[in-house]
Amino acid sequence: MDLYEIRGSRLDVIAEETEYQELNRDMASPLKKSPGVKDRHDDMFGNGRIESDINSSRNQLQEKVAEMENFAGHLEEIFLTVEENFGRREQHLEHHYTDVLQTISQRYDERAARLEDEKKRKLEALYTQLLACGHALDASKELIEEAKEVYRSQDKRVFLKTVVPTLKRIEEFAKEEMDLTLATNLDFETPLADLSDVKSMMDSINIVPAPSAPVINPQMANSATQTSLRVCWSLFSDDTVEFYELYYRLVLQNAPLDSTTAPQVRKAKVKETHCTVKELLPGAQYELWVTATNTTGISPASEKALYMTVPSPPVIKQRQCCSCPEAALIRWESGNPDPVDSYTVELTELKGSDGNEKGVTESVVAVPTCQCLIQLQAGHCYLISVRAVNIGGPSDRSKEICISTSGTFFYLLEETAHPCLSISEDGFTIFYGDEELPISAMALDDDNFTRCVAVLGDLIPVRARHYWEVEVDDRTEFRIGVAYEDTERNSYLGGNNTSWCMRHILTTSRHKYEFLHSGQSPDLRITVNPVRIGLALDYDWGTLSFFNVDLEQHLHTFQCQFQRYVQPCFGLDSPGALTIHNGIEAPKYAFIEHP
Amino acid sequence: MALTQVSSNKCAGGFQKVFEHDSVELKCKMKFAVFLPPKAETHKCPVLYWISGLTCTEQNFITKAGSQLAAADNGIMVVAPDTSPRGCGVEGEDDGWDLGTGAGFYVDATQEPWKSNYRMYSYVTRELPKLINDNFPADPERMSISGHSMGGHGALICALKNPGKYKAYDATVLASGYAGPPLDILLDQGRDDQFLSASQLLPDNLIAVCSEKKIPVVFRLQPGYDHSYFFIYSFINDHIKHHAKYLNA
């Protein structure tokens, strides 16, 4: 019987059965940080870290509970199979022995009947003989009496007359041989009982039966690859087995109604109690069961087990990743049709003067969704990749993305753009063209700006300081600033209380600048028209400041109480273009130092 | 030059002091106010010269403008001189409120009887800075100038005529002849200022010229505010921050 050992909190099959024993221990542990990385801005993410510790402990416990449940389920299966197997054997035995007993009982009856007959015959024979002897005895007695009487007779003449015949009669009688032999043999015949068939029945009990059903093991973590599965099973009885046959079939997430297109069952024949099945699809679920065969026949099939291959690596969505000096938000596509258990995000700091030296790789494990906000250090460069994880193990690494924490970096949320706005290939220049767009292009999602020719940026949701610059030319009529993500799409930037922006209006006589919020602006004049404008957003101070970058001149600061995260916004009031520059380290004058 | 301390009050963690001295340029005793921030106890500090408007003395700004907290926060010394020579006995100096006593206009007079005493330009740009640098923990490389009303005019004259001397400038004056290192001018004007409505203040002219000459100015028209120290008080923080950006760079 194959045994399971319980080591620590995991189920492990004993060594000879498995070669895939080295588990990636990182999978079970929460976020590990190298010592140097511990000192970061405490205040900002302090609460988050305690929360994530609690979460990771809770996750560990949940994992353990799930493992114990699986173990209990597997034990139940084994118990049921053993019960079944022995039930069958019991029945088989009972059946056999019942047959044997019946046959023997039958023979006994036959034998007894025959003996009975024989006894009867012999008794009859003897009785007949007895009767005969009785007669003879009577006859003799009669003669003797007669003789006696003759002898006693007074009448000599009668005596003489009868003595001779009587004597003759007695002589003759005496000459008669008495048959004193027994009429019958006193012994009984005891022929050897023909119990050969009973013997053969008894023998057949000892014949090796067909094996009982094996028990297929649940999938061991990290025993699979993208295209193969390692399957193990056990036999909980003393049956001899010549070989096993493993059957497997792909499980489709959406089972087609037409059964003819169901995936076909494949099988593999092996002598051992394990098998590596190859040429499978990544991140897919397979149904497997196994039978054991010997000379007598094939066992019933084991219960069906579900195994999963390792998933394909995810694909990072470059244009949906954003960052700032303290953190990065990475988003990706699963890369797998079937859901995976979790994702692991790996980051490596690039060191050295030319960024060629790689630092330690950190992992963030058990990420439940296709995005992750990671804490980073300012002024560094990181390579980040993602793996998908399921019971089979972790996938290969996705293609890496390089994140630089020199400044705040974001792409535009293109799905919010007004239809008349077009965006350059690199995603950082917006154009408002002269051409009229056809009405059909006005078919819009809820997310597009419908009046103001504008678009939002995808700023990382982190309460920190963010800085970016906008490049325009002297004649561009623009609106630039920030807005809440849910700012009204049918309203103008700055015209409502959910957006703050700097606006440039060009009249025939002069340039006019406004700093708009809720439709109000201070009355301001600016003598040198800014063509490169720096925007500095400080969540803690609740300020949004605008600067003429070329002159390092402060233009205006909004004092706002941001209730939630804001997004950068960019709009054009007349045909023209503007270019966004980000990922820049904020100049010293952009932010007030907090006391 | 002998300085006599006239008063000293602890204020905003530092000291608001008033001194008196014999002025060479003005040939009379002059008072000036100095605010020393806490930083001055251990370091040299940059200096903001504040020059006041018509009829003011060295007292108005230090008692009414509320600049000490911002100055202390930013580690800046603030020097506020008087607005004209006093007690010189110049004929006609007390005839009007807008010429003579309390109305020096921060120019050096070229005509009699004024030219002997009324040399506020030289006083503010030469004598006073030397006095401050010699007697206080001032950083001689870092000074800026600001003012209100007549003082605003004065600040700009001083800045424009001394390119590169002042690190930040802040005033109302014509600037068409300026040719020097880049300026960065912050200008606040109360919309309800009676002098504005009386056209005695002409900010549009300044703006027009600065636009043409590409002199960077941010001009803010503050609705509801007038010409008084209440107006100065309301925006002095912004101005000190504006100066601090350059003085502390």
Side-chain angles (χ1 to χ4, degrees), chain A residues 523-525 527 552-553, chain B residues 191 204 215 217 219 221 245:
Chain A
D523 197 331
L524 274 181
R525 314 287 161 76
T527 55
E552 298 187 6
Q553 181 192 35
Chain B
R191 210 211 308 262
D204 286 341
I215 296 174
V217 172
F219 171 83
L221 198 61
K245 187 168 94 183

Side-chain angles (χ1 to χ4, degrees), chain A residues 245-259:
Chain A
E245 278 181 317
L246 174 67
Y247 297 82
Y248 56 100
R249 165 172 67 195
L250 175 66
V251 174
L252 294 174
Q253 279 298 305
N254 308 309
L257 294 168
D258 181 3
S259 61

Side-chain angles (χ1 to χ4, degrees), chain A residues 377-495:
Chain A
Q377 277 187 317
H380 290 255
C381 213
Y382 295 86
L383 286 178
I384 299 181
S385 57
V386 186
R387 296 181 198 260
V389 178
N390 67 12
I391 176 113
S395 71
D396 289 336
R397 266 191 194 170
S398 69
K399 197 150 161 296
E400 290 165 327
I401 184 180
C402 183
I403 297 279
S404 167
T405 51
S406 51
T408 292
F409 183 86
F410 57 86
Y411 284 98
L412 295 175
L413 289 168
E414 302 197 7
E415 64 273 16
T416 61
H418 185 280
C420 289
L421 201 71
S422 49
I423 302 175
S424 66
E425 186 86 17
D426 68 359
F428 292 112
T429 303
I430 62 175
F431 305 90
Y432 177 6
D434 286 338
E435 333 74 58
E436 289 265 330
L437 274 184
I439 301 290
S440 58
M442 300 282 183
L444 302 165
D445 280 329
D446 293 327
D447 236 3
N448 301 83
F449 281 97
T450 54
R451 291 225 198 119
C452 192
V453 179
V455 66
L456 295 179
D458 187 16
L459 183 65
I460 189 172
V462 167
R463 280 188 66 91
R465 298 181 189 169
H466 301 284
Y467 178 81
W468 63 96
E469 292 177 1
V470 177
E471 191 190 332
V472 293
D473 70 51
D474 218 31
R475 310 198 58 78
T476 321
E477 288 193 307
F478 57 80
R479 292 181 196 239
I480 56 178
V482 300
Y484 290 130
E485 219 277 311
D486 57 358
T487 190
E488 295 84 339
R489 299 293 195 265
N490 59 359
S491 150
Y492 281 86
L493 292 176

Side-chain angles (χ1 to χ4, degrees), chain B residues 152-192:
Chain B
H153 150 99
L156 194 52
I157 296 176
C158 296
L160 292 170
K161 290 175 91 156
N162 295 278
K165 182 185 179 83
Y166 295 101
K167 293 241 178 273
Y169 326 96
D170 190 306
T172 307
V173 154
L174 295 168
S176 52
Y178 183 76
L183 299 169
D184 185 351
I185 301 175
L186 176 61
L187 238 145
D188 270 317
Q189 171 65 54
R191 210 211 308 262
D192 288 2

Side-chain angles (χ1 to χ4, degrees), chain A residues 221-293:
Chain A
N222 301 316
S223 59
T225 70
Q226 267 189 224
T227 52
S228 74
L229 289 171
R230 184 166 165 83
V231 191
C232 303
W233 55 88
S234 326
L235 206 56
F236 289 95
S237 64
D238 296 325
D239 304 330
T240 40
V241 171
E242 257 194 38
F243 59 86
Y244 296 93
E245 278 181 317
L246 174 67
Y247 297 82
Y248 56 100
R249 165 172 67 195
L250 175 66
V251 174
L252 294 174
Q253 279 298 305
N254 308 309
L257 294 168
D258 181 3
S259 61
T260 57
T261 58
Q264 46 156 206
V265 177
R266 285 145 66 185
K267 75 178 183 192
K269 184 166 148 174
V270 294
K271 284 199 182 285
E272 309 83 17
T273 54
H274 55 87
C275 174
T276 301
V277 180
K278 302 200 169 132
E279 289 173 24
L280 304 174
L281 298 175
Q285 199 173 51
Y286 285 86
E287 205 178 28
L288 303 111
W289 61 97
V290 64
T291 61
T293 308

